[in-house]
Amino acid sequence: MELSTIPQLFPAFEKELQREIQEQGEIRFYKSEEQLMRTGQYFRSTMLILNGLVKIYREDEDGNEFFMYYLQPGQACALSMVCAAEHKRSAIMAKAVKDTEIIAIPLNFMEEWMGKYKSWNHFVISTYRSRFEELLSTIDHIAFRGMDERLEFYLKKHQETMRTNLIAINHQEIANELNSSREVISRLLKKMEQFGKVKLHRNAIEIIQL
């Protein structure tokens, strides 16, 4: 890791904190589709994303996935922070969407920095709040919207996160994450295509106007 990486991604951190992160953190690399976290595991550290993209989700007994949110460079996993701090098992899973680089911060430093650095304290609280708000938005769409609106919300979220209008994903993967069936998702996507909102490709969806 270049010395400039941490200051660039976390410019609000004090210089001393940036130095400690570089000295005490452990760089880890994950290939696309590789698991970073699994349900039931304990955490001895939390992770800051340096490069790549990480998907946070839950999985039921049948292996169906429920998409929660993405983690991008400059962000941290709030749920791993909570589990690490309270010594609890993980109730979520995390997977690299593309090749990803993280820096793992040991639990003892995470706790020490809360009282030592104001910027770290603010970062942790801000991370909790933003993830909570993101989950509320997801829950709102599940509880109060139809599947067509949920699908549009899902695609918009991917468009914003990936910063591209072409999303490499198939209908079954979307169905799994929205807890629906491939037939329902395919029918809705076809309807969206007829209205000029998307263009369907093999294992990809091009967003035209949502």
Side-chain angles (χ1 to χ4, degrees):
M1 177 182 59
E2 296 181 3
L3 293 177
S4 61
T5 303
I6 295 298
Q8 287 176 353
L9 290 175
F10 306 96
F13 288 173
E14 293 92 342
K15 292 192 184 310
E16 182 64 19
L17 174 56
Q18 294 172 355
R19 184 187 62 77
E20 283 205 56
I21 290 174
Q22 291 171 336
E23 291 178 354
Q24 307 300 340
E26 178 189 350
I27 301 294
R28 297 175 185 172
F29 297 93
Y30 296 88
K31 292 289 187 182
S32 177
E33 297 300 310
E34 189 175 351
Q35 293 288 151
L36 284 75
M37 300 189 299
R38 291 180 173 80
T39 302
Q41 80 174 73
Y42 284 105
F43 295 100
R44 295 184 178 85
S45 63
T46 190
M47 62 180 177
L48 306 181
I49 311 301
L50 300 180
N51 193 25
L53 186 67
V54 176
K55 180 174 78 173
I56 304 296
Y57 63 101
R58 293 199 66 176
E59 191 173 81
D60 66 17
E61 295 177 354
D62 298 323
N64 298 313
E65 296 181 3
F66 172 74
F67 170 73
M68 297 173 69
Y69 53 82
Y70 284 116
L71 292 177
Q72 304 181 67
Q75 296 182 334
C77 180
L79 294 175
S80 71
M81 286 178 167
V82 172
C83 290
E86 298 184 356
H87 306 287
K88 290 185 176 180
R89 293 178 185 271
S90 171
I92 60 168
M93 301 183 76
K95 179 169 60 178
V97 177
K98 51 188 178 182
D99 290 354
T100 296
E101 179 184 10
I102 72 155
I103 185 165
I105 307 298
L107 174 60
N108 59 307
F109 289 106
M110 191 178 88
E111 294 174 337
E112 177 188 327
W113 294 344
M114 285 294 287
K116 188 176 179 181
Y117 298 109
K118 184 178 291 186
S119 65
W120 178 258
N121 190 295
H122 176 76
F123 175 74
V124 171
I125 293 172
S126 177
T127 296
Y128 290 159
R129 186 182 67 249
S130 61
R131 292 289 82 82
F132 179 70
E133 290 173 350
E134 202 161 359
L135 283 175
L136 279 183
S137 178
T138 300
I139 291 169
D140 283 346
H141 278 79
I142 293 172
F144 308 118
R145 308 292 176 90
M147 183 55 71
D148 55 342
E149 291 179 287
R150 288 177 59 194
L151 179 57
E152 282 199 25
F153 173 78
Y154 175 89
L155 293 175
K156 284 180 182 177
K157 205 72 175 160
H158 279 64
Q159 180 188 34
E160 292 168 2
T161 303
M162 305 289 192
R163 296 186 178 90
T164 177
N165 290 332
L166 187 64
I167 302 170
I169 194 168
N170 61 48
H171 298 190
Q172 186 61 60
E173 288 173 318
I174 297 175
N176 291 343
E177 295 194 348
L178 294 181
N179 197 24
S180 183
S181 68
R182 183 184 60 78
E183 291 76 16
V184 169
I185 297 302
S186 295
R187 185 174 70 248
L188 290 174
L189 285 171
K190 193 66 180 175
K191 191 175 180 181
M192 290 172 68
E193 186 176 43
Q194 291 170 351
F195 280 101
K197 294 183 176 182
V198 302
K199 185 175 182 180
L200 304 181
H201 302 273
R202 182 176 177 82
N203 294 324
I205 300 169
E206 183 180 355
I207 296 176
I208 307 300
Q209 186 176 12
L210 290 179

